[in-house]
Amino acid sequence: MKWDVIYNAEFPLAAPDVIFGAEDEDFHPFHVLCGEDGDSRLVKNSLTDWNNKDPTRLLALVIELRDKYRSYQEKRVGEVDDDRLKFEISTMVSREGIEMHMSSGVEKPEEVKFAVPLMNMNINKMVPACPWRHPQKIYLQVIYPIGRKYASSPSAPRLKLMCTPELKALFSIDDVKLPSWLDGMCMAEYLPHLEELLQRQVLEAVTLIDVRRQFIEALAPLLGRPLEADPVFCRKASFLVCSGPFTFMLHVFLSTNFPKQQPSLMFQSTQHFNSLGMPVKSPLITEYPWSPRWETSQMADRISDFLVDESLNFKRHCNESHLQH
């Protein structure tokens, strides 16, 4: 969703205006119907006693509007005349935190979206020295088309995993293969299988932090102590490396799929700069001898061996760049 909050530059003490999306012209959060004549009246809200000197008021306004919008969407979805949708809602109503949204428009079919929170587990506590300020969550977005009463059998809803942005440092939901949706299945049957799968993969992702840490530690005897390294998720480390008189930095990037996916390497010269005064860097290097079945020490040895020849190539590239400028 995108809402615009607009202040009046000529009257800075006045409360702001809020403009909602084009689909939400019937959303009037601070009006309630009264009587049978359909009249509405304004109720007390975050705007009625606006105080521009209070820095918390804008946040309070947005939170109040969000909560009212959530209730507005739940009411819209509840009024949809679709037996399958009503059944699905009845099977999921016991789950806390479900959000729903009805999408409709002239040029697109009507559909209902659900955001279903998954796994009742505290991922933050599973990560040592966790830097996250907010709880990390994984949701299943479920999209049901509505109004297709002619269909002989209900089609599978469109499914997509979503997560809070910071979780991607630990676990990539894009790599999760969703379980198949069987004919006649409902969400109450589907969700337990998905949650079991996710719990296993999140636990594995946490154990892979130590695998990455051990690999970075294995590089230290060969390349020296890292100049800097990601101490929490162990996704990146930088080393100062010498090849004769040529000194450069080696950046090692580790994905959440390490060791199945080999590290990406980048060289950065400490002595050569481009026309903008920026250090000369190599492209990301992902093609070099690698096997996820090797011992950690062998992985480190093979990267060290690869650097011997590749550092000469990078030095030549730096010298050519220097001559061009």
Side-chain angles (χ1 to χ4, degrees), residues 3 20 24-29 65-66 68-70 72:
W3 292 346
F20 305 110
D24 300 319
E25 57 184 18
D26 294 329
F27 176 47
H28 305 292
L65 288 173
R66 185 191 62 181
K68 287 185 176 297
Y69 187 76
R70 187 178 296 173
Y72 164 74

Side-chain angles (χ1 to χ4, degrees), residues 201-219:
Q201 296 198 12
V202 168
L203 289 171
E204 181 184 4
V206 172
T207 62
L208 287 177
I209 294 176
D210 278 337
V211 175
R212 294 193 292 269
R213 178 177 287 110
Q214 291 166 13
F215 171 71
I216 293 173
E217 291 172 349
L219 288 172

